[in-house]
Amino acid sequence: MRGFLFFFLFSTFAIIGTSQNSGFLEHEKACAKMQEMADVSLSKGNTAQAKIIALEALDEARSSNDANLITQSYLLLFRISNEQDDFYKSLDAGLSAFSESELAVENYRLASILSLLGLFEKWHIEHMGLDYAEAGLKLKSLDPKMRLYLLKVKAMALKSNGNAESSVQAFKDYREFSKVNSFSLEEMEALEQIALIYQKNGENAKAIEYFKEQNLLATWRGNKLKQASSANNIALCMQEMGDKQSALYFYDEALTNCPEDANEYIDICFNRAFLEKEMGNNDFLKRYVDLGYKTALQKNNLRGITKAQVIRGSIWKSEGNNSNAQSEIMSAIELCEANGIVDIHIDALELLMQMYSEANDREKEAYYDAQKQELIRSQNEKSKLDAKMKSNFALAVEQTKTSVLAVISKSKEMRLEMDKQKLDRENKEKTIALMQSEKELAKSEYERTRVAKEKALRELMLAQSSLENQQKENSIMELETTRAAQLLELTKLEMDKQSETSKLQLTQQQNKVLESEAFASNEKIKREQNAKQLGFAIGFLCILISVGAFIVLAKVRKNKKVIESQNKELNHKNDDIEKSIVSASYFQGTITPSSKQLKAAVKDGFILYKPLDTVSGDLPFVTNVDGYTYIAAIDCIGHGIPAAMLSFTAYYNLNKILDTATQMSLGDILEKLDGQIKTSLRSQGEKTNFNAGMDVSLVRIDHNSRLIEYAGAQSPLIVVNDAKCEYIKGSRFSVADINSGLNPKYESHSIAIDENAKYYLMSDGYTHQMKGDENMKLFSRKRFLELLQKTYRLTFNEIEKTLNDAHLEWKGNNLQTDDILVIGFEI
């Protein structure tokens, strides 16, 4: 219900913000007061009263014609209807809020969008949220978490609508935004969704690419569950593509990392079991089915229990034990009937039909076939009914949406029409008032103009009559005087014109001479100035070059001396480091037993020991204490100097424990070794920031009672005889895993010594070697076991040579990928 959380936060903020705004008009204050009263009633559980008050608040908001208040009122109605689980009323209010919020502030717009998305999520119709998620993403003031949520809603809606290409692109956008803003959990989710879409469409290669990215990110972030889930999905894709060996490797990784209390652990066990069935490995098939069944019982996971029972029944049937098979299947059928688990119920009935068909019991076969057909028919009818109901529901939602939007649109049109009529009335009244004012003003102006005009006319007539006589007397004299003055003026103007023309021509000639002289003088000055500037520039540049060359030469000499000194110091340090590593190799050699020492303790044997570097994280261990022979293969995390140092810690702590606790079981010895090394690696209460740990396979040989005891930490004991090659797996926990926070328990196994058997302990370096021409292909455990079975009748010297040659041939031109340790012996 993540969408609802965001909606309530924003809607609460909107209501508080509105109620505290001091600039409200009277009707807006009344609306805010009513919304506050409705909120109080809703908080007390009185939804009926809250709804009545909210509707009154809506009427008041409409009268104010304020988009913020109207949107807020609809959001309040949405909360009330949602509290009453009234889907259609909630949808009505949510759509109304969304429509009205177009003219409101962004907070109200976002609150209306989140209300609808939360409603669709609650009623499992997320595919309808696409348009609203896209509308939300257009808002400008989104914080990163809100944008991330809307991107996810958009991607999930496209996926629900079956639009694979668009949903992949949407999830890529979701992944990119998560990556940029460091939302690692959401980035893993996006990668998983993209991979699942490709997997569903049969594009397993693309799906593996994104599952591997998710696995890498989960490993980096320390998310064991996501690491296990992605490895399981990779294995499923590999299995479907026919690459069973790679699928085995990733199933192992998934089981190693998956917490046993997670439901995913059960599914991984069953997936691994089906792969072992395909490969014909019945022992491993039973082991993983029993492991999944045990975990399902502990968690009371009914699907896991019934699924395991059907598989166990199938195994009993294949072994000819129809009594146990029938008991398991009938138990599964009872659980399926009681809990409505239809698909596994059908599988169980199909298995019973096969059993009775093979036994030629046609009556019971027909009886269970009828039950199966009835179950299938009922399931088909239910699916059709669900599809019909879903279709009707979607149709009803669309009809409600259309109806609400039509009502809102009509309401808006009515409000606009009312606003237009009101504006027209106001404009008409203003026009009439203006016309009246203009009319009165015009009337007043007309009177003033008429009076002034009459007065001016009278004065003009008097002046005109007095002037007429004077004009008659002076007109002739003025006319003659004017004509003489005009002739005199014309003569003077003609003479001035001729004089000015002569002066202008003389001035123009003088100016031309002066301009030519000035131009020649300027050109000469410019050339002299340019020559001087060029000389100064060349001289200054030569000085700069000389000074720069001197400085650079001095620095080069100085740097050369510094570099030579540093090179000498580095060479000296490298020599010291090389000598230190060689010394460390010598010291490690003093605690590393040889094949000769092993042969002195047992009947015959060998130690194939190939360190990756000068020093090794793998360590063979052979010792005799109180009449018992102890042999161990120790594989410390990593390789090189850190792993070698850890191997010293393992060696001395194990010797110390064996000297004082020979009567303890080997499982208890490994537990004590785990505790002692953890104590020595970190101080009390101090959190380490490095990885440590080791895989150990440890055996104790009791020569008197002819027993061999074994305990392992992520490392096996392999027993090979003429009939079979038995792989005894150790516990799932490494020793001294300081960052796991676990106190592991290790199981001890006691086996009677078989004089004809060969026993092997090993690290994982041999099986993890990459092939020369196929860098992603491992040697694999299966290929190693087949090689041991094939070489059973050879001597140990021949077996050691064969294993070494096989490793070199497989490695080819590739580098060795890890330390290698294989110990073989017979008693």
Side-chain angles (χ1 to χ4, degrees), residues 45 67 156 186 194 271 374 378 431 521 669 701 799:
M156 294 301 293
E186 286 77 5
I194 295 170
N271 290 340
E374 176 62 24
S378 175
T431 302
S521 177
I669 288 173
I701 303 170
I799 294 173

Side-chain angles (χ1 to χ4, degrees), residues 44 111 157 200 231 268 370 406 421 435 488 542 735 740 808 822:
K44 293 179 178 180
K200 183 180 179 181
I268 296 170
Q421 290 176 2
M435 289 174 65
L488 182 61
C542 290
V735 170
S740 69
L808 294 175
V822 180

Side-chain angles (χ1 to χ4, degrees), residues 379-415:
Q379 182 68 10
N380 289 338
E381 288 182 356
K382 184 177 182 300
S383 299
K384 289 179 181 178
L385 183 61
D386 289 343
K388 186 176 180 181
M389 289 178 65
K390 185 175 180 181
S391 176
N392 291 340
F393 184 56
L395 181 62
V397 169
E398 286 297 333
Q399 289 174 346
T400 302
K401 181 178 175 182
T402 303
S403 175
V404 169
L405 293 178
V407 170
I408 293 296
S409 177
K410 187 174 181 181
S411 175
K412 284 185 177 180
E413 289 176 1
M414 290 176 64
R415 291 209 304 274

Side-chain angles (χ1 to χ4, degrees), residues 535-652:
F536 285 138
I538 292 172
F540 186 66
L541 181 60
C542 290
I543 293 171
L544 286 178
I545 292 171
S546 301
V547 173
F550 178 77
I551 293 171
V552 169
L553 184 60
K555 285 186 177 180
V556 168
R557 289 175 179 172
K558 183 178 178 181
N559 290 339
K560 184 177 180 182
K561 290 180 181 179
V562 172
I563 291 170
E564 288 176 352
S565 175
Q566 290 175 345
N567 285 337
K568 288 180 181 179
E569 186 177 352
L570 286 174
N571 290 333
H572 182 67
K573 288 182 178 179
N574 285 336
D575 290 340
D576 290 344
I577 292 170
E578 289 293 334
K579 290 176 182 177
S580 298
I581 294 174
V582 171
S583 298
S585 174
Y586 170 77
F587 292 134
Q588 190 173 43
T590 62
I591 65 170
T592 305
S594 63
S595 295
K596 185 176 180 181
Q597 289 173 274
L598 175 66
K599 291 177 182 180
V602 293
K603 183 178 177 181
D604 195 7
F606 72 89
I607 299 176
L608 177 60
Y609 186 46
K610 297 168 71 70
L612 178 63
D613 301 308
T614 307
V615 290
S616 173
D618 285 2
L619 180 70
F621 181 90
V622 179
T623 189
N624 290 293
V625 181
D626 295 341
Y628 297 102
T629 297
Y630 292 88
I631 304 174
I634 301 171
D635 181 4
C636 298
I637 188 170
H639 50 78
I641 293 176
M645 296 300 294
L646 191 57
S647 71
F648 276 95
T649 305
Y651 175 81
Y652 288 110

Side-chain angles (χ1 to χ4, degrees), residues 5 27 41 58 103 164 175-176 180 184 219 225 267-268 344 365-366 378 453 500 528 623 668 690 704 707 749 764 798:
L5 173 62
H27 57 83
S41 298
L58 178 61
L103 300 177
R175 182 263 177 111
E176 185 62 28
V180 169
S184 57
T219 303
L225 186 58
D267 294 330
I268 296 170
I344 299 177
E365 180 186 0
S378 175
K453 186 175 180 182
E500 289 295 328
E528 291 175 351
T623 189
D668 292 338
F690 58 89
N704 294 327
L707 289 174
H749 304 266
D764 60 5
E798 293 170 331

Side-chain angles (χ1 to χ4, degrees), residues 159-205:
K159 182 182 177 183
S160 299
N161 289 328
N163 195 332
E165 184 176 351
S166 297
S167 60
V168 165
Q169 184 56 52
F171 277 117
K172 286 181 178 179
D173 294 340
Y174 178 50
R175 182 263 177 111
E176 185 62 28
F177 190 79
S178 303
K179 186 176 181 180
V180 169
N181 291 277
S182 301
F183 295 118
S184 57
L185 205 60
E186 286 77 5
E187 185 181 354
M188 283 186 267
E189 180 185 19
L191 289 167
E192 183 175 26
Q193 289 293 339
I194 295 170
L196 289 173
I197 293 171
Y198 282 131
Q199 186 182 25
K200 183 180 179 181
N201 291 339
E203 298 179 70
N204 287 310

Side-chain angles (χ1 to χ4, degrees), residues 779-791:
F779 190 86
S780 82
R781 181 206 303 171
K782 182 181 179 183
R783 189 174 283 102
F784 181 71
L785 295 178
E786 289 174 349
L787 187 58
L788 294 182
Q789 185 70 61
K790 181 180 178 181
T791 58

